[in-house]
Amino acid sequence: MDMMKQFSLEGKVALVTGAAYGIGFAIAKGMASAGAKIVFNCRSQSNMDKAMAAYAEEGIDAKGYIADVTDEAQVADLVAKIEADLGGVDILVNNAGIIKRIPMLEMSAEDFRQVVDIDLTGPFICAKAVIPGMIKKGHGKIINICSMMSELGRETVSAYAAAKGGLKMLTRNICSEYGEANIQCNGIGPGYIATPQTAPLRERQPDGSRHPFDQFIVSKTPAGRWGEAEDLMGPAVFLASDASNFVNGHILYVDGGILAYIGKQP
Ligand code: NAP
Ligand code: GCO
């Protein structure tokens, strides 16, 4: 048996949401190098132009569409176009997401709803749109990008933690409901990854020193560093490939060991 063949994504179409940059872009790069055809969406033409240039620079022939993951009609249209252009989606990565760091008592219900809408309802809408095509094909892989906040809380991220905790359970429910149709739905829980989303937590202080949160994360991480978006490529390829065909409803934490660690001794 050629073991490496099990990890190949040759002939597969992978839709990675919000993959103009950041974690989604890195996952798309990993899947492309494993042989998948990459399709992504983003919300604005200016991001699309920059993303297409970035994919071209990597030598990846990606197909980009403008669509907001919270808009059911736009997502249905996106999936119909992928079916017409490329024969449907084999792999969905629910990556698009936002965070709002606001103490709970200062957070409006509207802000809370917006985070839940993008980070939880968006993955529901996208999964719902691709599952019928996956059932017809007889296989499918759905990877939901969860978080440390699927397990842990912290000050200022109530909406994000509620959404990412919910996304963990949506993952298990999709597995429960569609496992029989040979659909595997798993999550990746990235640790603290250096992307635009976490840039405010890594900003240099006026005196040139590192942000206290940056130092806090490095001390909380047995690996002793922030993750890079590229750290997620291998885990994502594994969960998208035949190598994980009996892995279902699992959240794979890719966190440099944060969840295993009680923290530095005083
Ligand atoms: P990022 O750099 O902020 O990128 C997020 C992407 O999602 C952007 O391309 C953004 O596009 C897109 N997006 C947001 N709302 C969207 C919508 N309604 N429809 C379509 N696209 C939308 O974030 P990231 O750090 O790469 O994070 C990617 C995912 O990983 C998120 O779900 C995040 O919560 C999760 N995550 C991140 C970390 C981390 O430490 N960075 C850790 C754990 C989990 P726009 O430019 O249009 O906003
Ligand atoms: C925060 C961070 C986190 C990370 C990530 C951790 O403010 O605590 O943004 O939530 O982005 O999701 O896994």
Side-chain angles (χ1 to χ4, degrees), residues 99 101 147-149 154 157 160 190-192 197-198 201 213:
I99 190 165
R101 298 182 188 97
S147 166
M148 293 293 89
M149 272 64 218
R154 85 169 187 86
V157 298
Y160 186 77
Y192 278 78
Q197 190 198 78
T198 52
L201 307 175
F213 197 90

Side-chain angles (χ1 to χ4, degrees), residues 10-27:
E10 213 62 58
K12 298 282 164 63
V13 174
L15 167 59
V16 187
T17 67
Y21 53 88
I23 289 174
F25 182 70
I27 287 177

Side-chain angles (χ1 to χ4, degrees), residues 17-25 41-44 47 67-71 94-99 101 117-119 145-149 160 164 167 188-198 202 226-227 229 232:
T17 67
Y21 53 88
I23 289 174
F25 182 70
N41 69 305
C42 67
R43 290 187 289 189
S44 66
N47 270 357
D68 186 315
V69 296
T70 63
D71 186 316
N94 277 315
N95 166 76
I98 61 163
I99 190 165
R101 298 182 188 97
D117 202 25
I118 295 177
D119 293 2
I145 305 302
C146 299
S147 166
M148 293 293 89
M149 272 64 218
Y160 186 77
K164 294 293 186 177
L167 187 56
I188 289 180
Y192 278 78
I193 312 294
T195 68
Q197 190 198 78
T198 52
R202 285 176 286 106
W226 283 69
L232 301 163

Side-chain angles (χ1 to χ4, degrees), residues 7 15 33 40 69 77 88 117 123 165 215 219 232 256 261:
F7 292 88
L15 167 59
S33 70
F40 71 98
V69 296
D77 193 43
D117 202 25
Q215 300 179 35
S219 74
L232 301 163
Y261 186 40

